[in-house]
Amino acid sequence: MRSIVLYVTLLVILFISPITVTVAAPAYEMTVFSPNNVIYDIKISGHISAYNTSAREYVYDLRISINGSIMLVSKRLDLNHYAWGANVSISYVVKENNTITSQAELQVPVPPILAVKVGTRKIYLTQIILDVLGGGLQNTSFSEIIRRLPYNKPVPGFYIYNPFYIPINSGVGDKIPYGVYNETAKKGLIINGTIAGEDSVSVPEGTFSAWVVKITAQDILEVIELINGVPIDLPPSLDFGVDFYYEKRSGWLLKVVPYVLGSSTGNSDLEVSTDISGGLTLEKSGTVMVGGRTLIDKIIGLPAYTTFVIVGVIMAVVLVYVVRRRY
Amino acid sequence: MTKKSFLAGWLISYVVGIPVAMVHELAGMFLGIIIGSLLAASKKGGGAIGFLTAPWIYLSPYIIPLLLNYLQGNLQLFALIILVAYSFLDIFILIITIIAIITGIIFGYIGLRIAKRS
C-alpha cells in the first residue's frame, strides 16, 4: 500500500512540477519571451535625389546603405520577467554625389537589461537603464555597473510594446499596438497596426505561413498629428509605411519591410525623389519555436517536436528502471 | 546508491534537462534534477546533482547559442565574454541553485526509498 502511495505521489509531482513553472498566458507561444540565438539580417538602402527639371540634371544624389545583424539574447530576470539583450553588428556607407562621405563598422554587445513581462508584449525599463538615463551612474565606473547587474529589477510605470511577437490567437482585422505607454500618466504614443491578411514568407530557415501587419502612412500621420495638434498634408505621390510578417504558429516576427516611395516637385522646378527599401529578415530563429522546432531540433535537423519525444522516452525508461531496481 | 548510479543520474539530468530547458529553463532544470536524483537514489547524490547541474541547465538556453555563434565566427570573443560573464552575475541563480539542491535531496531520498522497499 505504501509503495502505491509512493508511486502516485511521485507521478503527481513529476507531472505537476513542470506544469506549475510553465504557466504563461495562453495567447502567446511560451518561447517568444526568451529568445536566444535569434538573428536578424539587416539590409536597408535609401536613395534621395534632386533633379532640376529646367537644367535637366541631378543637382544632388544621396545613397545610404546599411548592412548588419542583430542577435537577441535573453535570460530570466525574475518569475514574471525575462531580461533581453542583443549583439548588434552594423556597417553603413553614405555616398553623396557618388563620393563616400561616411562609412563605419561597429559591434555593440548589450547585456540583457530590458525587462519583458511574461504573457504580455510589454517591455519595461530596468533600474540600471533609469540610473544611466538619469545621470545617476555617470560618475561611476563600468565595474560598478556590472556589480549592480545581479540586483537589477524591472521598473513599472512605463513600457514599450514589443514588436518581435504577437498573440497566436490573432486574426485578420485585429489591431496590433506599437509604441510606448506611460501607466502613471495614462498616456502613450501608440501606432496601431492592422492584420491585413496572411502570406507565405520565405526566410533562410524555410517557408512559413504568416500574418501581415500593416502600418500605413495614415496610421503614422494620425500619431504625429496627435503630438503636433496640426493636420499634416502630404503630397499624394508620397507613400510610406511598414509591413510586419509574423509566423502564425508562434506569432514570432519573420520579416519587417519598411518602404518610402515618392517624388515631389512643389512649386519650384526641382524634383525630389525618395526611395527606401530593404528591411529586417529572420536569419535564425534560435530557441524560439518557429515552425514547432526547438533549437536542438534545428541544430540536428530533426522534424518538429522530436526532442520532446526522445526526452519523454528517456524519462519513461529511467522511471521504469528506478521502480524495478532493488538494493 | 553507487558511484555508477550517481554518475548516471548526473549525465541523465543534463540529457533530460537541457532539451526541455530550450523551451522553458525552469521546467528543464527541475525535470533534469528530479530524474537525475531519482536515478542517483541518495540524499547526498541528489543534492550534489542539484548543485552541479542546476546553473548549467538553467543557463543552457542562453550559453549554448552564444557558444555556437562564437564557434561559427558570428560573435567576437569580447562580446561572448561580456554576455556570458553577465549571465553568472545573478542573484536568481543562487536562489534556484539552493532550491535545486533541496529538490535533489528530496527526490534522491524518494529514489532510495523506492529502491529499498521490500
Side-chain angles (χ1 to χ4, degrees):
Chain A
M1 184 61 193
R2 283 175 65 190
S3 61
I4 292 169
V5 172
L6 197 63
Y7 291 149
V8 172
T9 313
L10 190 63
L11 284 172
V12 167
I13 292 169
L14 270 177
F15 281 103
I16 286 175
S17 62
I19 291 165
T20 50
V21 293
T22 56
V23 174
Y28 293 94
E29 152 66 41
M30 205 194 314
T31 54
V32 297
F33 304 114
S34 54
N36 274 302
N37 201 34
V38 175
I39 300 174
Y40 284 95
D41 192 37
I42 306 167
K43 271 193 180 73
I44 297 170
S45 58
H47 180 213
I48 300 169
S49 62
Y51 183 72
N52 190 323
T53 47
S54 51
R56 296 193 175 189
E57 62 176 9
Y58 281 98
V59 289
Y60 184 69
D61 185 87
L62 174 72
R63 286 173 194 272
I64 301 168
S65 166
I66 302 169
N67 287 296
S69 66
I70 298 175
M71 184 178 75
L72 296 178
V73 290
S74 69
K75 65 189 287 287
R76 191 175 279 277
L77 195 61
D78 58 37
L79 283 175
N80 293 318
H81 297 88
Y82 279 95
W84 281 32
N87 185 59
V88 184
S89 306
I90 290 279
S91 66
Y92 68 88
V93 180
V94 180
K95 274 185 185 176
E96 279 182 83
N97 299 322
N98 280 331
T99 310
I100 295 174
T101 53
S102 172
Q103 64 176 342
E105 198 173 328
L106 51 129
Q107 190 172 85
V108 188
V110 183
I113 47 172
L114 285 167
V116 173
K117 191 173 183 186
V118 175
T120 69
R121 288 179 68 232
K122 295 171 184 174
I123 303 177
Y124 287 95
L125 303 180
T126 56
Q127 193 59 51
I128 285 182
I129 298 175
L130 289 185
D131 288 347
V132 170
L133 292 175
L137 290 178
Q138 271 178 353
N139 298 323
T140 53
S141 61
F142 184 71
S143 61
E144 170 66 13
I145 296 173
I146 292 291
R147 195 183 65 78
R148 293 178 61 158
L149 279 175
Y151 310 102
N152 197 17
K153 57 183 180 186
V155 180
F158 176 85
Y159 62 78
I160 304 158
Y161 279 105
N162 197 330
F164 286 98
Y165 56 84
I166 59 169
I168 48 175
N169 54 356
S170 302
V172 176
D174 285 359
K175 296 280 181 194
I176 306 293
Y178 297 88
V180 294
Y181 188 75
N182 189 333
E183 290 173 315
T184 319
K186 294 194 174 165
K187 278 182 184 173
L189 192 64
I190 296 165
I191 298 174
N192 280 308
T194 310
I195 299 182
E198 50 187 290
D199 200 359
S200 186
V201 175
S202 287
V203 290
E205 281 190 351
T207 303
F208 302 99
S209 184
W211 291 121
V212 185
V213 178
K214 282 189 178 292
I215 294 180
T216 60
Q218 192 58 41
D219 297 325
I220 298 167
L221 288 177
E222 275 174 16
V223 175
I224 296 172
E225 283 172 13
L226 208 69
I227 300 165
N228 289 344
V230 183
I232 298 166
D233 287 325
L234 280 181
S237 57
L238 184 66
D239 187 25
F240 61 92
V242 192
D243 290 348
F244 294 85
Y245 295 81
Y246 293 95
E247 200 239 346
K248 283 172 80 175
R249 205 193 303 195
S250 61
W252 189 256
L253 181 67
L254 295 174
K255 206 158 81 168
V256 182
V257 184
Y259 58 90
V260 178
L261 198 62
S263 60
S264 170
T265 48
N267 296 325
S268 66
D269 51 2
L270 209 62
E271 186 182 293
V272 180
S273 307
T274 314
D275 175 15
I276 294 175
S277 60
L280 225 71
T281 308
L282 183 69
E283 193 77 17
K284 282 183 185 174
S285 58
T287 53
V288 177
M289 284 180 70
V290 171
R293 295 168 79 205
T294 65
L295 178 69
I296 293 174
D297 291 333
K298 289 167 202 163
I299 292 170
I300 306 173
L302 298 169
Y305 305 109
T306 311
T307 45
F308 290 143
V309 174
I310 294 170
V311 167
V313 169
I314 292 170
M315 280 171 60
V317 169
V318 170
L319 285 176
V320 167
Y321 172 75
V322 165
V323 170
R324 290 176 67 92
R325 78 176 160 184
R326 296 286 182 274
Y327 277 137
Chain B
M1 177 216 172
T2 61
K3 255 186 202 169
K4 272 185 196 169
S5 65
F6 170 71
L7 291 173
W10 192 7
L11 179 71
I12 282 293
S13 63
Y14 286 119
V15 172
V16 170
I18 289 175
V20 180
M22 293 296 161
V23 178
H24 196 290
E25 74 283 34
L26 285 174
M29 188 194 78
F30 279 112
L31 264 187
I33 289 162
I34 288 168
I35 297 292
S37 50
L38 278 175
L39 198 56
S42 84
K43 284 190 276 186
K44 260 192 264 177
I49 286 171
F51 175 72
L52 293 170
T53 60
W56 293 103
I57 296 176
Y58 177 76
L59 288 172
S60 60
Y62 181 77
I63 292 176
I64 290 174
L66 287 177
L67 280 173
L68 280 174
N69 268 292
Y70 172 67
L71 293 173
Q72 288 165 357
N74 299 328
L75 192 67
Q76 288 173 5
L77 185 63
F78 172 69
L80 177 79
I81 291 168
I82 290 284
L83 292 168
V84 170
Y86 167 76
S87 70
F88 283 95
L89 295 170
D90 192 346
I91 199 82
F92 200 65
I93 289 177
L94 184 69
I95 296 165
I96 58 128
T97 305
I98 293 166
I99 297 169
I101 293 169
I102 296 165
T103 310
I105 292 170
I106 293 168
F107 280 87
Y109 176 68
I110 293 172
L112 186 65
R113 289 295 301 271
I114 294 171
K116 278 189 171 171
R117 78 191 191 284
S118 54

